[in-house]
């Protein structure tokens, strides 16, 4: 796994949470991701949507791409397509993806890097594997997260953030056994590099085999844990969680000294040579606004969706170079 690695014993440590004084979040639901085809035909695993979106709010979609070993000529991406009303966050763990958008943002995302595209009032972009990966094949593994924007921020100008692997904040578990990468948000006072409109936490943790990872968690955030690879348990009740499964934690109901979520990696991991249990830990402040959604547009009303299609067809979501304009309308498809 080329995603940024470090010796946890050399990193700042998360605080040891008191067992009695911490309001430990309980697991409310486990969801197994369903498989879908996206873009030009690459397969993703998608744990949500498919559950009640209020449980994931402010998140809209999570697509898990790979891990897959592509043969020469197999790697695929997406054609040019529009978005409005939310943000796409693409995190590449292994391999590489090229991004380009109609604001001039873009570049190569690889091996622990993240591209954060705020579509907001409207943008077009394209995501493709680099020519070398297409011609030679190779390992590819990544995720794309869609983050909703509140009504007042859906009409802001688009923006792009290129978050390099070296920019990610690295932390160790309280016992020094496990590695936590903070991509966005704040954990125990340690901030990730991602600049967000909607308050969220976005973490990637490698939990050592048999180890326990406890994280302090904002009381007003929801909490989700998705398994990228390996197996373990979620919550103090130790609910089994395998690759491709999502644990949805319940909200706070008690007055402890603070909230916490806890997970534990299985003693034996299924992948030989694995560094541990690979998980995403996500949470955010729910927006609690109506969601009108169709394909690549996420707004608050049906009329705003109709307007989004009209604006796209009228060329008000950026101009694609003529030689790269697709021969069909990709607004009619749900593309990542």
């Amino acid at each position: 796994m080329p995603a940024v690695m470090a010796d946890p014993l050399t990193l700042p440590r998360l605080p040891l949470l008191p067992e009695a004084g911490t309001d430990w979040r309980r697991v409310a639901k486990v969801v197994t991701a369903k498989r879908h085809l996206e873009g030009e035909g690459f397969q993703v695993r998608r744990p949500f949507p498919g559950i009640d979106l209020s449980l994931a709010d402010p998140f809209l979609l999570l697509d898990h791409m790979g891990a897959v070993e592509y043969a020469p000529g197999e790697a695929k991406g997406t054609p040019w397509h529009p978005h409005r009303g939310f943000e796409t966050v693409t995190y590449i763990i292994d391999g590489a993806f090229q991004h380009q958008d109609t604001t001039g943002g873009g570049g190569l995302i690889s091996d622990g890097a993240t591209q954060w595209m705020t579509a907001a009032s409207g943008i077009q972009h394209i995501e493709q594997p680099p020519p070398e990966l297409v011609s030679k094949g190779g390992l590819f593994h990544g995720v794309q997260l869609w983050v909703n924007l509140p009504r007042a921020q859906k009409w802001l100008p688009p923006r792009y953030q290129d978050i390099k692997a070296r920019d990610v904040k690295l932390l160790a578990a309280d016992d020094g056994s496990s590695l936590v990468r903070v991509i966005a948000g704040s954990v125990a006072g340690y901030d990730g590099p991602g600049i967000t409109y909607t308050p969220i936490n976005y973490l990637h943790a490698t939990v050592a085999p048999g180890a326990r990872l406890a994280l302090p968690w904002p009381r007003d955030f929801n909490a989700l844990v998705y398994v990228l690879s390996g197996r373990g348990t979620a919550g103090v009740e130790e609910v089994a969680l395998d690759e491709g499964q999502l644990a949805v934690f319940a909200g706070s109901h008690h007055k402890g000294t603070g909230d916490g979520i806890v997970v534990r990696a299985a003693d034996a991991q299924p992948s030989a040579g694995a560094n541990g249990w690979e998980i995403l830990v996500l949470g955010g402040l729910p927006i609690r606004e109506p969601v009108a959604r169709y394909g690549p547009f996420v707004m608050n009303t049906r009329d705003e969706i109709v307007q989004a299609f009209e604006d796209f067809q009228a060329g008000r979501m950026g101009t694609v170079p003529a030689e790269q304009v697709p021969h069909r309308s990709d607004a009619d498809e749900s593309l990542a």
Side-chain angles (χ1 to χ4, degrees):
M1 169 177 287
V4 60
M5 297 295 293
D7 180 356
L9 295 176
T10 66
L11 300 173
R13 295 195 185 188
L14 292 164
L16 179 63
L17 301 181
E19 292 294 331
T22 301
D23 183 7
W24 298 105
R25 299 278 188 100
R26 299 274 175 167
V27 176
K29 190 171 188 176
V30 172
V31 177
T32 299
K34 295 182 179 180
R35 295 182 184 270
H36 298 264
L37 288 178
E38 273 299 323
E40 295 171 333
F42 61 90
Q43 189 176 90
V44 301
R45 284 179 283 184
R46 184 176 295 166
F48 62 86
I51 59 172
D52 180 353
L53 268 184
S54 66
L55 299 175
D57 186 9
F59 306 119
L60 298 162
L61 172 146
L62 180 66
D63 275 354
H64 181 194
M65 305 173 285
V68 58
E69 187 75 39
Y70 282 124
E74 282 188 344
K76 296 178 176 67
T78 71
W80 282 97
H81 59 281
H83 287 302
R84 172 178 280 179
F86 63 101
E87 303 180 283
T88 68
V89 184
T90 306
Y91 172 50
I92 301 301
I93 300 166
D94 290 290
F97 233 26
Q98 292 182 149
H99 169 91
Q100 183 183 357
D101 65 47
T102 48
T103 70
L108 188 68
I109 339 163
S110 64
D111 297 345
T114 302
Q115 71 96 9
W116 198 300
M117 188 188 76
T118 304
S121 59
I123 198 171
Q124 293 184 63
H125 77 150
I126 185 171
E127 294 170 302
Q128 297 283 336
E132 184 177 359
L133 181 60
V134 175
S135 63
K136 297 182 179 178
L139 181 62
F140 180 78
H141 192 196
V143 289
Q144 185 171 98
L145 177 70
W146 288 14
V147 185
N148 201 7
L149 290 170
R151 186 192 307 269
Q153 295 170 336
K154 288 184 181 294
W155 299 101
L156 292 172
R159 74 177 181 191
Y160 177 80
Q161 298 176 66
D162 182 13
I163 302 172
K164 303 294 188 186
R166 63 176 179 270
D167 300 328
V168 172
K169 182 63 181 178
L170 302 180
L171 303 173
D174 55 65
D175 63 359
S177 63
S178 303
L179 173 64
V180 177
R181 307 163 187 85
V182 185
I183 297 168
S186 183
V187 180
Y190 297 100
D191 298 335
I195 300 170
T196 72
Y197 284 116
T198 306
I200 68 168
N201 282 345
Y202 186 9
L203 320 176
H204 171 199
T206 302
V207 187
R212 175 182 181 272
L213 173 64
L215 296 163
W217 208 250
R219 183 171 294 276
D220 51 358
F221 278 23
N222 58 17
L224 311 167
V225 170
Y226 178 76
V227 182
L228 297 167
S229 65
R231 62 169 65 102
T233 63
V236 290
E237 64 272 50
E238 298 192 342
V239 176
L241 207 59
D242 290 339
E243 180 175 328
Q245 290 189 311
L246 174 83
V248 181
F249 286 79
S252 297
H253 300 291
H254 307 290
K255 293 183 179 179
T257 57
D259 277 14
I261 59 176
V262 63
V263 295
R264 186 184 300 274
D267 292 338
Q269 294 299 319
S271 198
N275 294 299
W277 189 36
E278 301 292 344
I279 59 173
L280 296 181
V281 186
L282 309 170
L285 184 66
I287 296 173
R288 297 193 176 96
E289 291 180 354
V291 173
R293 175 177 182 167
Y294 193 89
F297 306 131
V298 182
M299 303 301 290
N300 296 108
T301 68
R302 182 183 181 278
D303 286 347
E304 289 172 335
I305 294 294
V306 173
Q307 180 183 351
F309 274 96
E310 291 174 349
D311 288 347
F312 170 63
Q313 290 164 355
R316 290 190 284 267
M317 292 189 187
T319 301
V320 175
E323 68 273 12
Q324 294 177 308
V325 173
H327 296 297
R328 56 184 172 77
S329 172
D330 294 299
D332 296 327
E333 300 182 17
S334 173
L335 296 175

